[in-house]
């Protein structure tokens, strides 16, 4: 399915609140799926990750120096990255490979992947369960404040854009000053 997994977990939590699903089997099946995906990525990272990136990384601007920096960073902060990555779209999908490339110990990876997955599953399925019969209330709140919500989102988007633009501009300036 081409729906974000957080959305699917929230919908599944809603279905639990409506009596269509049971929460324990939902958590177990979702956990097994999450761990299967994570550990597959980890094993790919262990088996082919670093040689592949050393050979083809230049095509995505991943120099040997950047790869080494990433490995050092990941060996220092990898366990925290595994936990946090579940809550950051996109990052969740590359962290398993990085943990394999960094050759993190399998038991440690399994422990942190299990813990992160459980927290992630329970967080988003619980949101769906909590709002269960309150969806119409949530819809009313969003409907009443849609322009304010969109305005705040637009302001945040502009701020992020300006910060990134400024950062890139300053980074280019630093590069020019080095030579």
């Amino acid at each position: 399915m081409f729906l974000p997994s957080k959305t699917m977990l929230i919908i599944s939590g809603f279905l639990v609140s409506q009596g269509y699903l049971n929460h324990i089997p939902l958590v177990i099946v979702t956990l097994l799926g999450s761990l299967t995906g994570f550990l597959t990525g980890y094993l790919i990272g262990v088996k082919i990750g670093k040689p592949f990136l050393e050979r083809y990384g230049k095509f995505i601007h991943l120099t040997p120096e950047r790869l080494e920096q990433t490995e050092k960073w990941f060996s220092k902060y990898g366990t925290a990255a595994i936990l946090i990555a579940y809550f950051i779209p996109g990052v969740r999908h590359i962290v398993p490979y990085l943990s394999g490339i960094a050759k993190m110990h399998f038991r440690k990876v399994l422990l942190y992947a299990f813990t992160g997955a459980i927290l992630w599953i329970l967080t988003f399925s619980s949101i769906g369960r909590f709002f269960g019969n309150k969806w119409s209330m949530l819809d009313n709140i969003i409907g009443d404040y849609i322009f304010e919500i969109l305005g705040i989102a637009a302001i945040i988007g502009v701020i992020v854009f300006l910060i990134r633009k400024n950062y890139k501009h300053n980074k280019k300036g630093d590069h020019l000053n080095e030579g």
Side-chain angles (χ1 to χ4, degrees), residues 9-10 13 23 26-27 120-129:
L9 282 171
I10 292 171
H23 201 233
L26 169 69
V27 170
W120 174 67
I121 292 164
L122 291 176
T123 297
F124 290 104
S125 64
S126 295
I127 289 170
R129 285 181 73 189

Side-chain angles (χ1 to χ4, degrees), residues 77-148:
Y77 302 108
T79 53
I82 291 171
L83 287 173
I84 295 168
Y86 277 94
F87 295 90
I88 305 171
V91 175
R92 171 178 48 250
H93 305 297
I94 62 169
V95 164
Y97 302 104
L98 294 176
S99 63
I101 291 168
K103 303 243 191 276
M104 289 181 68
H105 193 274
F106 181 77
R107 286 185 189 167
K108 186 183 276 191
V109 168
L110 184 59
L111 172 68
Y112 284 91
F114 177 87
T115 305
I118 285 288
L119 291 172
W120 174 67
I121 292 164
L122 291 176
T123 297
F124 290 104
S125 64
S126 295
I127 289 170
R129 285 181 73 189
F130 174 77
F131 283 109
N133 293 322
K134 300 175 184 87
W135 283 111
S136 60
M137 175 189 72
L138 186 62
D139 184 43
N140 288 337
I141 290 170
I142 291 173
D144 290 345
Y145 296 101
I146 190 67
F147 293 114
E148 290 85 351

Side-chain angles (χ1 to χ4, degrees), residues 1 3 7-23 26 124-133 135:
M1 297 194 81
L3 290 173
T7 304
M8 292 302 296
L9 282 171
I10 292 171
I11 291 169
S12 297
F14 171 78
L15 292 174
V16 167
S17 76
Q18 301 300 305
Y20 293 107
L21 294 175
N22 188 315
H23 201 233
L26 169 69
F124 290 104
S125 64
S126 295
I127 289 170
R129 285 181 73 189
F130 174 77
F131 283 109
N133 293 322
W135 283 111

